[in-house]
Amino acid sequence: MKCSLLGKVFIPLVAAVLIMPLGAGATPTEPNPDGYCRDLRTNYVKTWHIYNDDQLDGVLNPGDTEIGTFENWWTPASSHSQHNMSPDGGGFTYAPDDDINSSPINYASHEAGKEDYWLGQTPMDKNKNTIQFYMTYSQFDNNDWKAGHFYSADPTAQAIVEQRHETRNGWAFGWTSHSQEDSPTNPQTYAGFVDMDIFVHNGRGLNPAADGSIDGGGTVYGGVFGKSYSNPQVSVSNDISPKAIDGVGAPPADFRYHPPVFDEVTGTYSWAENATRMTANGYTAADLVDIINSMEIEERVALGLGAGDVVWGNRRPSEILANLVDHNGNPYLYADAFLDNSFYHDGASDGGVVAGLAGESDYDFQQNNWGDQQVIRIDISEATLRGGEGGGNIDEIVIWDFGQSDSSTWGSSTGDQVNPTPIIFGVDLTQTVAHGQIYYDAASGRIYFPENRIYIAQVTIPIPEPASLALLATGAIGLLIRRRRTAIR
């Protein structure tokens, strides 16, 4: 028997949605694009689809159930800088044994009534004991760094930034664990842990379009068009060593703690891949090892993971590659793996960011070619979701929807860039679900997922017919989400 603890999913029909009023003066707005950077892509805000694993095989395929949709945030800043902001003045500073009240920011306009939006910092969100996921698009990351996008007259700084960002030309997936409590105090007392695996299928991409079209990326500074390169990689790992401060590849007054670059050839955070940056900052190979050992979020060679390295040993990438195929009969490959093994403290937050997601998909529901899409698979351990002694104490999972406001259509978003909608999955420890079974409790609105697995995918599906909506309304298919509007200024 296996207890599956993700739950509390609601029907998203208009009549069932509680729409909270906007905070006074909070006019919906987007950040201001940076004219220095490559133009925004025409699809910089995408619709992402949430699925569970009905087939219980670790692969998103026909028969798995769509739970809902959401849209991503966007920012002119890098996905790294966006995540490492702190409304209490903590700036970019953190350390291996000191969690801070950091929270991602979308860098919206600073005009009155159009304040920046800090993710997960409102009392209404009750974000203690939560993991909060979001997708974001970074205009800075999308500069064509392989083409030598200008950053600094210092050739060393230019080389460091090019190397760090050269394959981040797409979207990013981020999360915060146990976000800041209502009080700004930071007692640093142990609160729990997160044990979570993130695997990515078809996350990499090289789009040679040079016409500024959907995936081409627009112009580079100076009117030069360029390609789009993406390769999933860690751009934030909270609690990293202070030796990760990059004082050369960043403005002197605004140092960042950057994770090292993963070497795809050796499958390690090699010295050869990071020597320029480490040497420029006065560090040695031994210091690089200290940084790597401090990282709570790290990339691993997906096919090299053992059964004891992951939440579900029988669903690890090597097992899937050996036993499962996609729609064309090709072995199903998770090429990228990221493991979160972190401890969090009261009054603070933890988390990370995986940047460089291409967000590309050739999926066509009429062809049912499910293997031709980007899929982010999230496995959360049962221990993470169990409270009490030795438990992770996470009791709520949130996915933030930053779509444009329109609650009149099924599947549409009800938020925007400064008033996002939290899509909430609760955790109820009173239900025990047989291995491979999905249990839906109509009275409470809770649903329990086998193996506590969530997929975030790039797909295109038809909107249900009215008859299907009627079934949803009666609870016959109770697997969709009520969206709750936050009241934010």
Side-chain angles (χ1 to χ4, degrees):
M1 301 289 288
K2 184 72 177 178
C3 184
S4 189
L5 308 175
L6 287 181
K8 203 165 74 178
V9 180
F10 300 92
I11 299 173
L13 301 180
V14 175
V17 177
L18 175 62
I19 302 296
M20 302 296 293
L22 295 176
T27 303
T29 186
E30 290 191 356
N32 296 320
D34 189 340
Y36 164 80
C37 297
R38 181 192 291 197
D39 292 346
L40 293 171
R41 302 187 188 192
T42 55
N43 65 341
Y44 63 98
V45 175
K46 281 180 174 283
T47 297
W48 307 84
H49 299 252
I50 309 167
Y51 280 81
N52 67 8
D53 192 5
D54 286 334
Q55 303 301 303
L56 204 65
D57 56 7
V59 172
L60 177 60
N61 51 30
D64 292 330
T65 302
E66 184 184 16
I67 305 303
T69 63
F70 68 103
E71 295 186 14
N72 61 268
W73 223 1
W74 83 272
T75 171
S78 73
S79 59
H80 176 91
S81 298
Q82 176 190 28
H83 184 93
N84 283 324
M85 289 300 292
S86 175
D88 67 357
F92 295 94
T93 304
Y94 49 86
D97 300 315
D98 184 21
D99 287 332
I100 66 162
N101 298 326
S102 62
S103 182
I105 183 177
N106 75 337
Y107 288 82
S109 169
H110 287 272
E111 299 173 32
K114 299 180 180 180
E115 293 83 358
D116 290 339
Y117 178 75
W118 298 94
L119 180 61
Q121 294 297 329
T122 63
M124 179 179 175
D125 297 332
K126 304 297 182 185
N127 36 48
K128 180 180 179 181
N129 298 329
T130 68
I131 302 177
Q132 304 191 35
F133 296 110
Y134 65 97
M135 296 293 299
T136 185
Y137 167 88
S138 164
Q139 188 185 11
F140 183 87
D141 281 2
N142 191 50
N143 288 324
D144 192 353
W145 296 103
K146 278 184 173 289
H149 183 92
F150 179 76
Y151 177 79
S152 173
D154 179 344
T156 302
Q158 177 71 21
I160 290 172
V161 175
E162 285 181 12
Q163 181 188 44
R164 189 165 59 223
H165 292 274
E166 65 182 3
T167 54
R168 295 185 187 178
N169 288 171
W171 286 260
F173 172 68
W175 65 97
T176 59
S177 307
H178 195 70
S179 297
Q180 177 184 346
E181 297 179 58
D182 297 344
S183 170
T185 61
N186 193 354
Q188 293 297 304
T189 55
Y190 171 81
F193 66 85
V194 171
D195 180 15
M196 178 172 65
D197 302 333
I198 297 169
F199 304 122
V200 183
H201 170 71
N202 282 358
R204 307 178 188 186
L206 167 59
N207 193 300
D211 59 359
S213 59
I214 289 179
D215 288 316
T219 61
V220 177
Y221 178 76
V224 180
F225 288 93
K227 297 180 180 179
S228 176
Y229 302 86
S230 290
N231 180 34
Q233 59 191 276
V234 177
S235 66
V236 171
S237 178
N238 278 357
D239 306 337
I240 200 169
S241 167
K243 294 178 180 179
I245 293 177
D246 189 357
V248 176
D254 203 13
F255 291 179
R256 270 77 158 176
Y257 290 63
H258 284 284
V261 176
F262 190 74
D263 188 333
E264 297 289 343
V265 176
T266 64
T268 66
Y269 290 99
S270 70
W271 173 256
E273 192 73 11
N274 293 277
T276 300
R277 170 187 159 195
M278 296 297 295
T279 301
N281 284 282
Y283 291 117
T284 66
D287 295 314
L288 176 61
V289 172
D290 289 342
I291 295 173
I292 296 167
N293 290 338
S294 74
M295 293 172 62
E296 294 183 330
I297 317 298
E298 62 174 324
E299 183 170 359
R300 298 281 296 275
V301 176
L303 298 180
L305 293 169
D309 296 326
V310 296
V311 174
W312 287 94
N314 61 337
R315 312 276 186 244
R316 67 188 189 274
S318 59
E319 287 291 305
I320 288 175
L321 183 67
N323 296 292
L324 298 178
V325 297
D326 64 14
H327 67 286
N328 282 325
N330 299 315
Y332 195 94
L333 175 63
Y334 284 109
D336 299 279
F338 305 90
L339 308 186
D340 181 350
N341 295 287
S342 59
F343 296 90
Y344 55 82
H345 301 81
D346 276 328
S349 63
D350 233 8
V353 175
V354 174
L357 296 166
E360 297 174 0
S361 175
D362 294 321
Y363 173 75
D364 185 336
F365 70 89
Q366 294 179 327
Q367 299 177 14
N368 222 22
N369 55 331
W370 286 62
D372 289 342
Q373 58 178 304
Q374 176 181 290
V375 178
I376 302 168
R377 171 182 145 190
I378 308 163
D379 288 0
I380 306 173
S381 73
E382 180 180 323
T384 297
L385 303 175
R386 283 197 174 278
E389 184 176 355
N393 296 318
I394 295 296
D395 57 23
E396 192 170 84
I397 307 297
V398 177
I399 298 178
W400 286 95
D401 178 14
F402 294 90
Q404 296 304 310
S405 199
D406 177 9
S407 59
S408 62
T409 306
W410 180 89
S412 66
S413 301
T414 57
D416 52 56
Q417 293 291 311
V418 291
N419 291 284
T421 302
I423 302 173
I424 302 170
F425 300 81
V427 175
D428 191 322
L429 305 181
T430 63
Q431 295 289 343
T432 299
V433 182
H435 182 69
Q437 176 184 353
I438 292 181
Y439 173 77
Y440 175 64
D441 182 358
S444 66
R446 292 181 173 88
I447 179 172
Y448 305 90
F449 293 79
E451 301 187 353
N452 302 317
R453 178 171 300 118
I454 297 172
Y455 296 113
I456 296 176
Q458 271 291 291
V459 293
T460 303
I461 63 170
I463 295 176
E465 298 295 330
S468 298
L469 290 177
L471 289 175
L472 291 175
T474 62
I477 304 174
L479 302 180
L480 298 174
I481 300 165
R482 183 182 70 178
R483 301 168 183 270
R484 184 182 68 193
R485 173 69 65 86
T486 55
I488 297 171
R489 289 195 61 184

